[in-house]
Amino acid sequence: MTRKLGVAVGILALAAGGALGMAANASAAESGVQATYFVLYEDDNYGGRHANFSSSDVELNNKYWSGSTSAFAQNGGSSMENNTGSYVGLWDVGTSCSGASYTAKPNSKDSDFSNNNFDNKASCVKFL
């Protein structure tokens, strides 16, 4: 009887631990600015303010940096993380998405746009 009770308690403990582990993993995967977005950062090395994109935004002169109500993301991007399965194009002329451009591959990162001659130029974000 004691052995059956011990086995039952052990099984319950494993099940509870597994459920807790799954919940923690799901929460970690769904949280943070990187979840499933294209993220544009104001500074090199993913620093400063950021702006999340889950779809195209062809005019960044009306897109605020996250947490800001006065600073727009237009011409302010210096690094990016593309955590989507899509190519994402950036252009320096908003609305028409023309001029100098930069293309981010799916699931990629770039810690410094300077080496691509695109630092502080993004005015249009378009999922391709």
Side-chain angles (χ1 to χ4, degrees), residues 15 33 55 70 117:
V33 297
S55 62
S70 62
N117 198 29

Side-chain angles (χ1 to χ4, degrees), residues 4-107:
K4 286 182 182 179
L5 182 59
V7 170
V9 169
I11 290 171
L12 286 174
L14 284 173
L20 288 174
M22 288 179 14
N25 289 339
S27 297
E30 295 170 0
S31 65
V33 297
Q34 297 85 4
T36 56
Y37 297 102
F38 174 82
V39 185
L40 190 63
Y41 292 91
E42 182 178 31
D43 297 332
D44 294 343
N45 299 310
Y46 323 108
R49 296 175 285 195
H50 67 275
N52 296 338
F53 300 88
S54 58
S55 62
S56 298
D57 190 334
V58 299
E59 193 59 72
L60 299 187
N61 69 355
N62 60 10
K63 173 76 172 182
Y64 291 113
W65 292 110
S66 182
S68 175
T69 57
S70 62
F72 293 110
Q74 182 177 20
N75 298 327
S78 292
S79 59
M80 70 83 197
E81 290 183 294
N82 183 3
N83 298 300
T84 74
S86 301
Y87 283 86
V88 177
L90 306 174
W91 286 269
D92 71 343
V93 179
T95 306
S96 64
C97 297
S98 60
S101 66
Y102 173 96
T103 302
K105 293 179 181 178
N107 301 302

Side-chain angles (χ1 to χ4, degrees), residues 44 46 77-80 90 92 100-105 108-122:
D44 294 343
Y46 323 108
S78 292
S79 59
M80 70 83 197
L90 306 174
D92 71 343
S101 66
Y102 173 96
T103 302
K105 293 179 181 178
S108 64
K109 295 181 177 186
D110 189 342
S111 64
D112 187 356
F113 286 163
S114 296
N115 60 352
N116 299 304
N117 198 29
F118 204 76
D119 198 33
N120 298 315
K121 292 186 178 180

